[in-house]
Every structure is written in C-alpha cells, then in structure tokens.
Amino acid sequence: MPSKQHVQQRERLRNENKRVRQPSCRMNDDEYQLLSRAAAVCQMSVASFLAHAALKAAGDLDRTAAEIAAQREVHNELFAVRRHLGHIGNNVNQVAKATNSGADVPYAEAVLGAVQRATQRVDAFIQHYLDTEKRTG
C-alpha cells in the first residue's frame, strides 16, 4: 500500500497573533469570481487572500483615490477585453471548422474585422495606460 503524501500545514498563530475578528463584505458574482481566482493563483483561501490584500492596502495609505480609481479602470477594461476576445475566439473557431469542412464562410470577413477592431481596442487601451503612467509617474 503506497504511503500517504505528507501535507505541510502552516504554523498555527500564537494566541496573541490569532485572528479573531471576522469582518464581512458583499460582492457581486463577477467580483467574487475574480477574488476566488486570485486566491487560487496565490494558493490561498479566499479569507486569507482578503486579509492579506486588505492589510497590504491599509499599510499603503499614500495611494490616492485617483490611483485606486485608475487601477479599477484598468481592471474593468481588461476584463471587458477578455470577454470580447473570448467571443471572437469562438467565432474564429466556427470559421475554421466551416472552412475545414469545405463549407462557404461568408461571415469570415466580419469575424476578421472583429479581430482587427479588438486588436485596435487593446492597442488604444495600452497607449492610454502608458500615457497616463508617464503623466503620473
């Protein structure tokens, strides 16, 4: 019988450092999914990730509301672009499947136009972001 792999557990907090407060916040589904993915990438629980992120933000009070708003704008735009690219990717796959099966694909130009517009949107956003960074940095 193979031996079980030993899982290293984190060291327990001493009583004086133990987290006993449990703040609460509300999120919509998109916000919670974003939070869950970020926690998973960091190999943390959602609660640990929230505590870590909140404490990090609280320790950096020099950031202005404008910087935080700009970062939120960046995140919102990136998620919009990702959704848009996902839709376009589905359309490109449909065009490829139809083309490979020998079917006529009259909408191929429209799909390629969408790819070009998405590319332009990404390029414009990146330029806007870089211009903003130059002015504030």
Side-chain angles (χ1 to χ4, degrees), residues 57-118:
D60 188 11
L61 295 177
D62 293 334
R63 286 183 64 196
T64 65
E67 289 172 320
I68 293 168
Q71 186 177 17
R72 186 173 297 132
E73 178 186 340
V74 169
H75 291 166
N76 289 341
E77 184 65 19
L78 289 174
F79 277 104
V81 167
R82 186 178 73 181
R83 279 192 307 276
H84 187 65
L85 290 175
H87 295 149
I88 292 171
N90 288 337
N91 291 339
V92 169
N93 286 339
Q94 291 170 0
V95 167
K97 183 178 179 181
T99 302
N100 289 336
S101 69
D104 187 31
V105 190
Y107 53 89
E109 283 188 40
V111 171
L112 295 176
V115 170
Q116 188 173 26
R117 286 189 303 278

Side-chain angles (χ1 to χ4, degrees), residues 1-120:
M1 175 185 274
S3 64
K4 288 185 180 181
Q5 228 179 3
H6 178 69
V7 176
Q8 175 110 15
Q9 292 185 357
R10 69 177 176 87
E11 187 176 321
R12 298 282 180 195
L13 296 174
R14 286 185 236 107
N15 284 340
E16 67 268 9
N17 292 330
K18 189 172 183 177
R19 292 181 172 149
V20 294
R21 305 279 183 212
Q22 190 173 359
S24 175
C25 67
R26 295 183 186 275
M27 297 178 185
N28 64 35
D29 288 339
D30 290 339
E31 292 168 336
Y32 188 77
Q33 286 177 3
L34 175 63
L35 177 65
S36 295
R37 282 193 300 268
V41 166
C42 296
Q43 297 180 344
M44 298 172 80
S45 69
V46 171
S48 292
F49 184 84
L50 267 176
H52 177 77
L55 292 170
K56 184 89 169 155
D60 188 11
L61 295 177
D62 293 334
R63 286 183 64 196
T64 65
E67 289 172 320
I68 293 168
Q71 186 177 17
R72 186 173 297 132
E73 178 186 340
V74 169
H75 291 166
N76 289 341
E77 184 65 19
L78 289 174
F79 277 104
V81 167
R82 186 178 73 181
R83 279 192 307 276
H84 187 65
L85 290 175
H87 295 149
I88 292 171
N90 288 337
N91 291 339
V92 169
N93 286 339
Q94 291 170 0
V95 167
K97 183 178 179 181
T99 302
N100 289 336
S101 69
D104 187 31
V105 190
Y107 53 89
E109 283 188 40
V111 171
L112 295 176
V115 170
Q116 188 173 26
R117 286 189 303 278
T119 302
Q120 291 168 345

